[in-house]
Amino acid sequence: MANEIWTIKRCLEWTKEYLAERGEEHPRLSAEWLLCAATGLARIDLYMRMDETLNAAQLETMHAAVVRRAKGEPLQYITGSTQFRMIDVACAPGVLIPRPETEMLVEEVLNYLDAEVLSPEAAARQRVELPWNDEVEEARKAEAALADERATAERRAANLTAADEAALGGDVLGSRAYAEELADREAEEAAQAAEAEVAEAAESELDEYGIAIEGAGQETASAQDAAAPAPTEPCTARVLEVGCGTGCISLSLAWERRGHVTCTATDIEPRAIDLATKNRDALGLTADEVAFSLTNLVSSIPREEWGTFDVLVSNPPYIPTDVMRSLPHEVKDFEPDLALEGGADGLDIFRRLLNAAPYMLRAGGLFACELYEGALDAAAELCRQAGLSDVRIVHDLTDRPRIVRAIVTEPKQRQ
């Protein structure tokens, strides 16, 4: 194979046919992914450079990747990465591969944070009514009215008929020019007047740097002070994620609301913590923004942080034991059982998280979990029995029940 001339086109077509013969569901897409990983090109670049020849190293990489894929190994493990919402996430054997359903879990958390936690900061950015706003508005209206008059005059001059021209003779062109000149002069005068009013109002209160002049316009300053809101500290939400895997949930939350969300994320698998840390570093996020901890569920959370989180989110192991046997080959034989199996009904870890939620969350905090489609009704009922409110089931893109979310109304303190 290495001694022959292999263009991108030839390699793409050969790989597609080879994988199709071995039962690949989407052989062309898989071939494109593998070629992109081997060449470092984007998918669109493959089609722009079809006649380009692969070098020996690229061919060797491609050959090894095709062999692995033909055995059923997930593409994400072979290529070493996948895309999740707005970020690229490194993937590796031993750590669960991010799924599209989990992107919806992130969306649910973001919707909650925007509406219930971060909204006060947005409200503080609303327009403040300054004393001279009304004067500026009146000047703007006057300028608009004069502009309308000018347009009317121009239309009147332009619509003179041939009969009008005959009646008025040589004065027609002069009438048209006069109307246009008059409209121009009136509009210019109105604009100058408006600018003067704005400048006069502003200069009566502020110096050239925008600082209030001492002793000037005491009544205006008092009105402005009354209208402007008091300065507030930037609002920051705190998220606790349990079972972080690649870190895709916490990293997406921190990335998409950078400066407004900090995350603490735990996992019991050392390979997951190492990979999540690698992904954090690749994004340029800091440990203050997303902190990863190797621990069992919430065991490492300091007691002083209990009850301080706005969200507890998790994509826990949730596949029922009986269902594990029927999983696709590339999931069952390659992805870690520890991140998949959730006990007889798929809710073993969920129950433990539900028990921890009232201790970890503040009043009004969100508890949100991705779960097996057949377990959502039972999970919702468990939330109600635990005293959580506003319990909802969210469906995924294929209209299967996938996420349960609920609100902690009565936080608990362990004695």
Side-chain angles (χ1 to χ4, degrees), residues 78-259:
I78 300 171
T79 62
S81 69
T82 191
Q83 188 170 16
F84 185 86
R85 290 181 65 89
M86 298 174 64
I87 62 176
D88 288 327
V89 178
C91 299
V95 182
L96 189 71
I97 297 169
R99 301 298 202 276
E101 295 84 356
T102 309
E103 295 187 6
M104 294 188 62
L105 180 61
V106 173
E107 188 71 19
E108 285 297 316
V109 172
L110 287 175
N111 289 340
Y112 166 82
L113 292 177
D114 289 344
E116 304 297 335
V117 182
L118 304 179
S119 55
E121 182 181 34
R125 292 197 296 268
Q126 290 180 354
R127 180 174 181 260
V128 177
E129 290 295 331
L130 298 176
W132 54 77
N133 280 345
D134 289 342
E135 297 175 23
V136 174
E137 183 65 15
E138 288 300 321
R140 187 195 65 77
K141 290 180 179 178
E143 184 177 353
L146 286 173
D148 288 342
E149 291 180 8
R150 175 187 176 187
T152 300
E154 289 176 343
R155 286 194 299 271
R156 189 181 301 118
N159 288 335
L160 292 172
T161 64
D164 293 328
E165 291 184 10
L168 294 174
D171 290 336
V172 171
L173 295 178
S175 299
R176 188 175 295 155
Y178 173 76
E180 293 175 353
E181 180 183 351
L182 178 62
D184 286 337
R185 185 165 63 248
E186 290 174 343
E188 183 178 353
E189 291 173 355
Q192 291 174 348
E195 291 175 0
E197 289 180 15
V198 173
E200 181 180 356
E203 290 174 1
S204 65
E205 302 300 333
L206 305 176
D207 65 14
E208 61 182 321
Y209 300 104
I211 301 174
I213 300 173
E214 185 176 356
Q218 294 297 328
E219 293 181 1
T220 299
S222 299
Q224 182 177 349
D225 291 341
T232 58
E233 292 295 324
C235 190
T236 302
R238 301 193 72 228
V239 174
L240 172 61
E241 181 192 0
V242 178
C244 64
T246 62
C248 60
I249 294 176
S250 288
L251 294 175
S252 289
L253 293 172
W255 180 259
E256 295 184 38
R257 297 295 184 274
R258 191 159 194 182

Side-chain angles (χ1 to χ4, degrees), residues 68 73-74 76-78 90-99 243-247 267-276 294 317 330-340:
R68 291 170 66 183
E73 185 171 352
Q76 294 88 341
Y77 287 161
I78 300 171
C91 299
V95 182
L96 189 71
I97 297 169
R99 301 298 202 276
C244 64
T246 62
D267 204 292
I268 198 172
E269 170 57 61
R271 287 175 293 181
I273 295 298
D274 290 344
L275 186 61
L294 179 64
E330 69 177 67
V331 176
K332 178 177 58 177
D333 295 334
F334 289 94
E335 296 198 65
D337 287 353
L338 183 64
L340 292 169

Side-chain angles (χ1 to χ4, degrees), residues 44 72 125 154 174 176 199 213 225 258 286 296 310-311 376 409:
I44 190 171
R125 292 197 296 268
E154 289 176 343
R176 188 175 295 155
I213 300 173
D225 291 341
R258 191 159 194 182
T286 67
N296 184 18
D310 298 290
V311 174
L376 267 298
T409 52

